[in-house]
Amino acid sequence: MSFVRTTPPRPVEVTAVFPELAPLARPAIRLHPRPGSPSVSDSSVGGPLLWPAGEPWPHCEDVHLHVDTGFRQSPTEVRLRRILSSRWSPDGPAPTLTPAEEALKKRNAAWLAERLEAGPPGPAECPVPMLPVAQLFLRDVSLLRPPGQADLLQILWCPYEHDPNYKPATALFWRSAAEVGDVLVTPPEPYEADYPGYVPEPCLLAPEAIIEYPNSLDLSPALQEMLEDWNRWQAGGADVDSSYAAYPRDFYSTHLGNAPGWKVGGWPPWGRTDPYPQYCAVCEAQMIPLLTIASFEWDGDKGWVPQEDQANAVSSHYAGQDPSQPTAVEVGSTDNMQIYVCPTSPEHPHTDLIQ
């Protein structure tokens, strides 16, 4: 990777105060996506995939109702609007596109017109080409557990919301990078996306290995009660702001538990619901977190902001994006999408949910 991101040390060594949590430590890799121009040979979010030219591109076969939400645009329109937004200045002239970008805009308009001339899409467009979400090479993300000789994970989604949980449908592919010959240069794109947040912005990654502890909701009632004991925090020598005295478990949840942002492995983030175990549809094994797709890399208190991003974190924009939202992805109500896989066999069907 061409750049580095480093999570600041936690304000308290949690296992020094609560050694009972030590057995629950899990490795995770924060991906730290940042705007860039990834190639098919890079691990990325929203970048081009190392996809074999002779292999069909994934399409979503579900029914996609064409209800005007007021947000739907083609992926190209979404990207061009972001470019103009990144060039806006309160004191400058109206932003403009470069000649190359104007040409892209015209080609996109011609493509859309051609689609409309062929007839209205009707109540459903099917099948829908999927959009790349993430490409992860084992050389960069060592926590991946690929099947056989595979060393590359590719995740795509359909940029339409699907019943019953109103989330994009996902597809997961493992492959051996060395076995890919000619690469598909121009993958098909969907006619439109439900929301701009379903069109990831191309980002390079700076994977960082960390150790995580569970979300407090994943702890047993006895351990949750232990975290609520302010005297225990003080007896352990933890230098915790007294404002947390009434709710010390909030300090753990905010600063010491699972890390926010895009990550592989670790503990899942909860919030929309209590913990909801996922079970393999083939062997019934309890599934494990593979990838967290996050709407934001950090929250308002910025305690998890990498050291290299501290200055940018106070800005309203960085490289054309909100510093805490470099991928421009928004799932659910600015929530997280979790991808789960079977620990017995990664080739068993995956599952996903929004939290």
Side-chain angles (χ1 to χ4, degrees), residues 221-240:
L223 290 179
Q224 292 185 29
E225 184 177 354
M226 177 187 71
L227 292 179
E228 295 284 11
D229 186 352
W230 180 243
N231 292 328
R232 179 75 181 271
W233 288 89
Q234 292 182 305
D239 184 16
V240 179

Side-chain angles (χ1 to χ4, degrees), residues 197-220:
Y198 296 156
V199 182
E201 191 69 10
C203 288
L204 292 165
L205 307 180
E208 177 200 16
I210 64 169
I211 296 296
E212 279 195 338
Y213 296 92
N215 184 293
S216 64
L217 295 174
D218 263 319
L219 298 175
S220 68

Side-chain angles (χ1 to χ4, degrees), residues 272-295:
R272 179 181 283 193
T273 70
D274 287 343
Y276 186 64
Q278 306 295 303
Y279 295 96
C280 178
V282 175
C283 67
E284 299 185 353
Q286 184 167 341
M287 304 179 87
I288 58 175
L290 172 66
L291 175 68
T292 298
I293 298 169
S295 294

Side-chain angles (χ1 to χ4, degrees), residues 97-189:
L97 299 173
T98 66
E101 291 160 353
E102 284 287 358
L104 177 61
K105 181 179 179 180
K106 290 180 180 179
R107 287 197 300 272
N108 182 69
W111 174 65
L112 293 175
E114 183 179 343
R115 289 289 304 272
L116 290 175
E117 286 176 5
E125 178 188 26
C126 184
V128 170
M130 303 184 96
L131 285 174
V133 174
Q135 173 167 274
L136 304 175
F137 286 89
L138 181 61
R139 65 170 189 258
D140 302 320
V141 186
S142 58
L143 283 185
L144 295 177
R145 299 169 63 182
Q149 299 302 309
D151 60 357
L152 175 60
L153 170 65
Q154 295 169 325
I155 295 177
L156 304 91
W157 67 19
C158 172
Y160 286 80
E161 290 189 335
H162 293 255
D163 291 338
N165 298 312
Y166 302 100
K167 62 182 181 351
T170 55
L172 185 155
F173 297 87
W174 298 98
R175 69 174 75 250
S176 169
E179 293 179 359
V180 178
D182 293 336
V183 177
L184 182 63
V185 177
T186 309
E189 282 207 334

